[in-house]
Amino acid sequence: MKLSFQACVVSSLAISTDAFHAGSNDANKHKLTQLSSATTDAERISLLPLPPSRKSGPFRGLRESISHLSNNKRFVEIRRKELGPVFLSNIFFQPTVIIGGQDAVKEFTSGVELKSKVIVSALPDTFKELHTKWGTLNLDSNDSVFKEARRLFAETFNKNALMQYTYLINEEMDNYIENLTQRVQANPNEEILLVPELKDLCLQIFSKIFSGKGLSDEQVQMFNDYNDALLALPFEKKKLEIGRVALERLKGEMIARFKESVRGGDNRNTAGKFFSDIIADRDGFEDDDRIASVIVLFVWGAYIECASLMVNSMTAITKYDANYTDKILAEVQEQDNKSGIESSDFAFWSDMHETLGVLRESLRLIPPGGGTPRYSEVDFEFQGYRIPAGTAVMMDPRIGNTDPNLFTDPEMFAPTRWVPNKSDGANSGCPFQGTAVKLGVGSWFPGGFGAHQCPGIPLAELTSKMFLAKTVKAFDGWTFKSGVDDNGNPKFVEVPIKIPSDDFGVKFSVRQ
């Protein structure tokens, strides 16, 4: 059975992944002999080697977990170079098998994941409690509740749904950029603490989409308290209790909003009505607790991730190619000059390939995080290795992100690699324009992959496209002030989502 999170923390102080490995060379030779004579799959799997790992040392489990928490991108890159795309390490104080690279990910998700029932959440018990029994990260992908949720996701984030949400997002973004411009004009030297502002902006947008109304300051704080509790360690009792109270209060508010919407209340916006209509009278959604929990989880689900993408796209441009804003500006001006289309139309944003390229290249070079760990209750085989029962398995996009076989010059910031080639041949001249567009399954998965991948990436990309394009249109530049290191680069919070810290200050210059 799976060790509790607390037990994993304690055990990691004394043991490392090498405790899984058995002894001497003679013993290994004996295992090979046994392997050839094994008569059942279980016997054969029990004799397979474990995935490669680093050499043992005192408190290695603890040291590896801390190393991962401090800089998870570097952690994964080093081990991928040393050990290959599949390796065993310690993450979040528990032995974890990391799977990355297109071939391994494709093989795992195309059959091994479900056949071997790698479906049990390896997240801490406190997270699973607060994520509620309706949260898909807690659910077996074969469960009827999970399948009902995936069908809901499909209707909530498809093209038709995004068309319903575009007007609202565009209006909210215009209001934010107008307010930001006025503040900068009034005080050109003001440092804007962008991260908390964008977290609040995303919360308000998603609340209006999924509940029909915005949030009060108190409700914003409740969502932040809930998020903090989800990520808390088991001994952080006060934080967990505050999160539990916040969750219950938010659920009460959201079910009241839903019922008002179903009754035809006057406070419904078009996007909010669209979503409430999807849920109303839906099979499997007769339970008020499920409806309330789903709305809370939809609002919470990506507000930090979306804010991270917005800010990280700006930091990527500044770090790698400040002149790329000229391409974004030209693209948005081209859309503005088209007749019969407005920025409140989904079609306006669907052709913004250069801007989308910046977002996707930012996700590749500044990945927000790894996947969600899950485990099987039985030993299983993967790529000739034995994965012991109860061992967390996590697919990590960062391994493929730096694979030169997938991305030419992988350390180069090249948004054009995401821009499709034009049928008239009027391309940029970049030798790898469009090369990332059709790489296939397992090549790039910023929102996780497999049965439990994040369904909200299209909504996050639409929202972030609007933010980046409107920011470039309003401001001709920006510089970073506080919250940076000695080289002027932002200081990041690494876990669970990579995002600059809340004290990250940005100084904007209004476009004349």
Side-chain angles (χ1 to χ4, degrees):
M1 296 299 293
K2 189 77 178 70
L3 287 172
S4 70
F5 185 76
Q6 296 96 319
C8 287
V9 173
V10 173
S11 64
S12 71
L13 298 175
I15 65 171
S16 70
T17 50
D18 290 273
F20 283 95
H21 292 277
S24 65
N25 289 333
D26 288 341
N28 291 332
K29 290 177 182 178
H30 180 61
K31 278 194 174 184
L32 290 175
T33 302
Q34 290 179 306
L35 187 61
S36 63
S37 61
T39 57
T40 67
D41 277 348
E43 287 179 350
R44 184 181 58 79
I45 291 172
S46 71
L47 297 169
L48 292 174
L50 290 162
S53 63
R54 299 188 106 185
K55 292 181 180 180
S56 61
F59 305 107
R60 199 188 70 184
L62 177 63
R63 290 188 291 107
E64 286 204 324
S65 292
I66 292 174
S67 177
H68 177 264
L69 290 169
S70 63
N71 190 330
N72 45 56
K73 181 183 178 184
R74 183 172 181 270
F75 177 94
V76 170
E77 286 178 350
I78 289 173
R79 283 153 185 78
R80 189 265 303 170
K81 290 177 181 177
E82 290 180 2
L83 305 171
V86 178
F87 58 87
L88 177 63
S89 189
N90 283 269
I91 294 178
F92 301 124
F93 309 102
Q94 60 183 333
T96 303
V97 174
I98 303 296
I99 296 174
Q102 185 174 25
D103 292 342
V105 168
K106 185 176 180 179
E107 178 182 342
F108 184 75
T109 57
S110 63
V112 174
E113 180 182 21
L114 296 182
K115 180 182 177 182
S116 302
K117 297 185 177 180
V118 190
I119 54 178
V120 186
S121 173
L123 292 164
D125 290 341
T126 49
F127 181 98
K128 288 186 279 189
E129 173 202 343
L130 288 163
H131 192 55
T132 81
K133 65 180 181 180
W134 309 109
T136 54
L137 293 179
N138 286 339
L139 295 173
D140 176 344
S141 54
N142 296 313
D143 192 299
S144 61
V145 174
F146 179 86
K147 293 176 180 178
E148 290 166 356
R150 296 304 297 191
R151 287 192 289 270
L152 174 63
F153 293 161
E155 291 184 47
T156 304
F157 299 110
N158 63 21
K159 181 179 177 181
N160 179 55
L162 296 179
M163 292 172 67
Q164 301 295 326
Y165 307 150
T166 300
Y167 184 92
L168 184 150
I169 301 171
N170 183 70
E171 183 177 51
E172 292 292 315
M173 205 63 69
D174 278 345
N175 290 339
Y176 175 75
I177 296 297
E178 181 181 0
N179 175 269
L180 179 60
T181 303
Q182 291 172 352
R183 284 186 284 151
V184 173
Q185 287 174 329
N187 185 0
N189 293 316
E190 180 184 4
E191 277 190 65
I192 306 297
L193 298 181
L194 201 58
V195 173
E197 288 194 10
L198 293 184
K199 288 179 184 176
D200 286 358
L201 174 64
C202 290
L203 270 176
Q204 296 292 353
I205 289 173
F206 297 150
S207 179
K208 289 179 180 180
I209 288 174
F210 299 121
S211 79
K213 299 180 186 178
L215 301 169
S216 67
D217 289 345
E218 182 183 19
Q219 290 162 346
V220 167
Q221 185 57 52
M222 281 191 276
F223 267 105
N224 288 321
D225 289 340
Y226 173 60
N227 183 69
D228 289 345
L230 277 162
L231 308 173
L233 293 172
F235 56 78
E236 296 181 285
K237 304 295 185 184
K238 184 176 181 180
K239 186 180 291 187
L240 290 167
E241 187 54 36
I242 291 173
R244 291 186 183 102
V245 171
L247 173 60
E248 292 307 311
R249 292 184 64 188
L250 288 170
K251 284 164 61 176
E253 174 66 23
M254 295 306 160
I255 194 61
R257 293 184 182 192
F258 172 76
K259 290 182 176 180
E260 179 186 1
S261 179
V262 170
R263 289 194 302 267
D266 295 333
N267 291 322
R268 297 180 298 172
N269 61 62
T270 301
K273 181 180 183 302
F274 176 82
F275 183 69
S276 66
D277 286 349
I278 290 177
I279 295 182
D281 300 321
R282 189 180 190 88
D283 288 345
F285 286 78
E286 298 84 8
D287 189 311
D288 281 0
D289 185 66
R290 183 174 192 181
I291 294 171
S293 298
V294 164
I295 296 174
V296 170
L297 291 173
F298 270 51
V299 176
W300 162 81
Y303 84 96
I304 291 181
E305 288 88 336
C306 193
S308 167
L309 179 54
M310 292 176 183
V311 181
N312 289 346
S313 64
M314 292 177 60
T315 64
I317 288 172
T318 301
K319 180 178 179 178
Y320 295 105
D321 187 356
N323 293 325
Y324 212 90
T325 55
D326 295 339
K327 291 188 177 182
I328 298 173
L329 181 62
E331 185 172 61
V332 71
Q333 289 175 338
E334 180 182 353
Q335 295 297 96
D336 282 336
N337 292 332
K338 289 182 178 179
S339 60
I341 187 171
E342 303 290 338
S343 62
S344 56
D345 301 327
F346 177 74
F348 183 99
W349 301 100
S350 60
D351 289 334
M352 299 279 286
H353 298 299
E354 295 283 359
T355 309
L356 180 60
V358 170
L359 300 177
R360 293 191 168 179
E361 196 71 340
S362 301
L363 285 169
R364 190 182 69 82
L365 289 170
I366 313 174
T372 302
R374 314 193 80 77
Y375 68 90
S376 173
E377 294 179 329
V378 297
D379 288 12
F380 68 95
E381 177 184 359
F382 182 66
Q383 293 204 333
Y385 300 119
R386 175 174 62 90
I387 314 299
T391 301
V393 177
M394 187 166 70
M395 288 179 287
D396 198 303
R398 290 167 289 209
I399 294 174
N401 288 352
T402 54
D403 184 351
N405 296 313
L406 294 173
F407 301 100
T408 306
D409 294 332
E411 298 303 323
M412 179 184 294
F413 178 74
T416 309
R417 69 173 91 236
W418 301 96
V419 178
N421 285 291
K422 296 180 180 178
S423 57
D424 62 4
N427 294 309
S428 67
C430 173
F432 41 86
Q433 177 172 343
T435 56
V437 175
K438 296 182 179 180
L439 286 174
V441 174
S443 60
W444 182 77
F445 48 99
F449 202 62
H452 291 83
Q453 62 185 304
C454 174
I457 293 296
L459 178 58
E461 287 186 337
L462 174 62
T463 306
S464 299
K465 261 193 292 188
M466 289 190 189
F467 168 76
L468 185 58
K470 291 176 185 292
T471 298
V472 168
K473 189 176 178 181
F475 304 101
D476 58 17
W478 51 77
T479 55
F480 305 149
K481 294 298 182 181
S482 57
V484 297
D485 61 22
D486 293 340
N487 296 317
N489 297 315
K491 295 179 181 177
F492 285 95
V493 176
E494 294 282 344
V495 175
I497 300 300
K498 185 163 186 170
I499 186 171
S501 56
D502 281 355
D503 65 350
F504 174 56
V506 182
K507 180 181 175 183
F508 289 93
S509 172
V510 176
R511 191 176 293 278
Q512 302 300 318

